[in-house]
Structure formats: C-alpha cells, structure tokens
C-alpha cells in the first residue's frame, strides 16, 4: 500500500501553502523522489493543404475520450460530402494514416476511430468534396500505456455562461494538453425543451473562438452539470422527452463514451499514471441520494481497485463543505446537502488509504484549492479538491470577500480562468495553475497526492 501524505499535508502551516508556488519538501518517502521527464515535443503543426472554410465548418472540430488505441471524433457541418484525413506524428513530421469519406444523415457526425498507437499525437481534418476547402485542423493525443513515466499536462474548466470569446480557452489551446476535462455548464440551456432548442445552444457555444480553439487542440473528457438540461432541474420539473433531448444534444456536440449501461458515469485509464472517474451528479438524484447506489458502489470499488498513481474524480459540483463560507444556502444543490453519501465516499477514500486522489469540480464560478472538510471536521481534511474555471460565467465574488483563517482554502479567488494540472508521477505532485484571460498565472500551488 502506498503511504498516504496525510502527515505531510497536515504538518504544513496554511501560510506556507498559500499560493506561493513554493514546494513543500518531503521526507521519509523513498518510493518517489525523482521527477519524471516532460513529454517529448510534437512536430510543428501539420499543413494538410486546402483553405479553411469557416462557414462550412463554423463549429470547428471535436474529439473525446481518447484511449490508448482509440478516440471519438465529432463534427457539426452544413456541408454533406466530406472526407476525413488523419495524420500521425512520426519523428519530426506527420504521416497520413487514414483517409475516408464520412457518413452521416444529419448535421452532426461522430465516429469511433480505432487502431491508433499509444502516447502518440494525431492531427485530423475534414475536406469538402472538391478537396479545396477544409475544416480547422484538429489535434489529440492518445494516452500512454504502462511506463515509461512522464509528466502529464491536463486542462480543466467549467461554466461557459458569458465573457465571450473565452480567451482563457484560447490559451489552453496553446498548451498542447494531454486532455481537457469539461466539468459541466458548457451551455446554459435553461428554457430549452426540444432537441432543436438544445442544439441551438451548442451551435452557439461551439462557434465561439475560445471553444473553437480549445476543441481543435486536444481531446476532451466531459461530464455535465445542471445547465445542460435546465437550472437545478429534477426529473419532475422536465417535460416528456426533455431529458432525452438534452442528453442527445449533449452527446452529439461533446464527444464522449458511455458507461457499461449507457450512463454518463464511466472511467478512463491513462496507463499507470492516471485514472479518470467521471461522475454524473445530476441525473440520478432523488430526495435522499445525490448519486445512485449503483454509481456509489462503482466509484468505491473502482477507486479501491485502481493501480493508477493519480485518481482524478470529475465531480461537477464540489464535494467541499461550504458551511464556513455559504452556510447551508443552496446546500441541496451540492454534496453538502446529502451528508450521508458525502461522508460515505470521503471516509471510504480515507479508510482505505486510497492514494493519489484529486477531486476536480466546477459549478461554483470561482477558482479554489481546498480540503473538502475544514481542519478537524472530518476525513476530507486530508484530501484535496480543485474547482476549475469558470471560463465565462458570472463570477462568484463571495470567494473574494471570504477570509479563510483555518487553512481550509489555500487558494480562493474569483477570476475567469482555465485550470492546468501538471502531474508528475515520479514525485507524486500536481502543480495546479489557474490561467486567466491574459494567459498569465492567477494562482499556482503544488499539491502532493
Ligand atoms: Fe455554472
């Protein structure tokens, strides 16, 4: 069993941790000390020929749920007869590995592409029938298989409800991320009911420059929050067919795999290094349950069985206990309002010494690094949670006004951002960098997981 970092974390005074970029020195741990290398540089961008047509391909290109040998590609276009071309990074250049006409009946196209090589960069593009016009060129990477270890650079954000053109996402695109975590509220489709209603929100969002740049730059792993369906919706608040319409529009616009029974919650493995646990914290709620018993059991057993160095839990709304900042206002909208399940999973992680766990959340419209429980309040005091974004939604100024005196919130601020997580499996560290609309670091802190 990997030693936990409880003693290391709890032994550091809060002022030492706070946003300094200073790295706490570790002692007494001989299993991990050597930093792992950076990823090898990728070749210069591929030049596939043709001219980009921003009318025929107004919504860019998307990819999602990349695995070691596969990825899901997604396109929305007004043009019908299109050819997909994929190139693979080999040495200093790009080699075409696939060229095929794409088949679709409607406005959107998605296809699972298989036969890819692990830890390899790919570029892809769609050409019109005349071969002269094309989409943006997309990029994604397949994750590594087991070893050798290297650093992973992962982006995360949430809440794209204003502040267009989401400049922070254009800076995310420049980072050549291994993968981008989309933690919900990509659209604010409040009031939508039909499939066409929902699609209209994605047509708008996918055409905004920041998201155009981002989705062409890396693959995504996505979950949803409430606004992909409606503000704080419940099953009872929806019209007949509304849930299915919202889900269809989400999936056809944001490429993603499905769990074993077609659900949103699922897991993805990046070799020995990272396992992603994608939660669905919205569609299974009842009066007493935040997530279904089935999802909870899956999460617990999967976390316990995972041998990945880092375990990132994609959690649309923080599991943090906000009692000190917000009291119980809107507690029913987050884990806090479901204290039994909240305690169940935090205690499970602690009691089983599940190492390398990082909760990654969105929804709250402020940036944050916190312990899910304030010091002395429970097992979450030795875990970490990061709130990523918002990239565009109304800023929650309460985060600026609140003064933390306990070390519960080493980082807390309200500025538009995307969040970069640089994971080093050699040292067990995660450098959390919040990047603003000017491309500069707003806050930064290194966690040991
Ligand atoms: Fe939001």
């Amino acid at each position: 069993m990997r030693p936990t970092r409880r003693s290391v974390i709890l032994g550091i005074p809060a002022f030492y941790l706070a946003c300094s970029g200073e790295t706490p020195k570790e002692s007494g741990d001989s299993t991990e000390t050597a930093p792992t290398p950076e990823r090898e540089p990728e070749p210069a961008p591929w030049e596939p020929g043709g001219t980009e047509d921003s009318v025929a391909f107004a919504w860019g290109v998307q990819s999602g749920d990349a695995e070691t040998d596969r990825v899901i590609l997604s396109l929305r276009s007004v043009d019908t007869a299109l050819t997909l071309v994929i190139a693979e990074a080999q040495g200093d250049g790009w080699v075409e590995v696939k060229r095929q006409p794409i088949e679709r009946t409607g406005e959107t196209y998605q296809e699972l592409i298989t036969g890819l090589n692990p830890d390899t960069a790919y570029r892809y593009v769609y050409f019109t029938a005349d071969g002269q016009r094309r989409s943006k060129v997309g990029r994604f990477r397949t994750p590594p298989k087991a070893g050798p270890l290297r650093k992973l650079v992962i982006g995360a954000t949430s809440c794209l409800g204003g502040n267009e053109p989401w400049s922070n996402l254009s800076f995310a695109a420049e980072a050549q991320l291994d993968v981008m975590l989309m933690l919900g509220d990509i659209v604010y489709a409040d009031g939508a009911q039909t499939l066409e209603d929902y699609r209209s929100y994605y047509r708008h969002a996918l055409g905004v420059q920041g998201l155009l740049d981002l989705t062409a730059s890396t693959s995504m792993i996505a979950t949803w929050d409430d606004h992909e369906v409606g503000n704080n919706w419940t099953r009872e608040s929806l019209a007949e067919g509304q849930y299915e319409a919202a889900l269809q529009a989400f999936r056809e616009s944001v490429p993603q795999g499905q769990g074993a029974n077609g659900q949103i919650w699922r897991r993805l493995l990046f070799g020995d290094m990272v396992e992603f646990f994608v939660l669905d914290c919205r569609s299974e709620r009842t009066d007493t349950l935040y997530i279904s018993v089935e999802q909870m059991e899956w999460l617990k057993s999967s976390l316990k069985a995972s041998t990945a160095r880092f375990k990132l839990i994609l959690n649309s709304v923080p599991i943090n206990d906000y009692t000190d900042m917000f009291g119980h206002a809107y507690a029913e909208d987050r884990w806090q309002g479901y204290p039994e399940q909240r305690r169940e999973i935090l205690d499970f992680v602690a009691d089983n010494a599940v190492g390398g766990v990082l909760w990654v959340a969105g929804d709250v419209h402020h940036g944050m690094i916190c312990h899910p429980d304030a010091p002395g309040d429970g097992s979450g005091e030795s875990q970490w949670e990061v709130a990523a974004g918002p990239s565009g939604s109304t800023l929650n100024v309460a985060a600026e006004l609140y003064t933390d005196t306990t070390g519960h919130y080493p980082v807390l601020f309200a500025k538009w951002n995307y969040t970069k997580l640089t994971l080093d499996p050699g040292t067990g560290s995660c450098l959390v960098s919040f990047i603003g609309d000017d491309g500069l670091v707003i806050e930064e802190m290194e966690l040991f997981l």
Side-chain angles (χ1 to χ4, degrees), residues 42 61 104 150 159 172 201 210 231 249 306 343 355 373 394-395 397:
E42 295 177 9
V61 296
R104 65 197 172 116
R150 65 165 172 85
C159 297
Y201 286 91
N231 186 30
S306 176
R343 187 54 57 205
D373 283 317
T394 307
L395 295 170
V397 293

Side-chain angles (χ1 to χ4, degrees), residues 159 185 188 227 363 365 393:
C159 297
D185 291 355
Y188 284 70
H227 292 283
D363 180 71
H365 298 197
S393 299

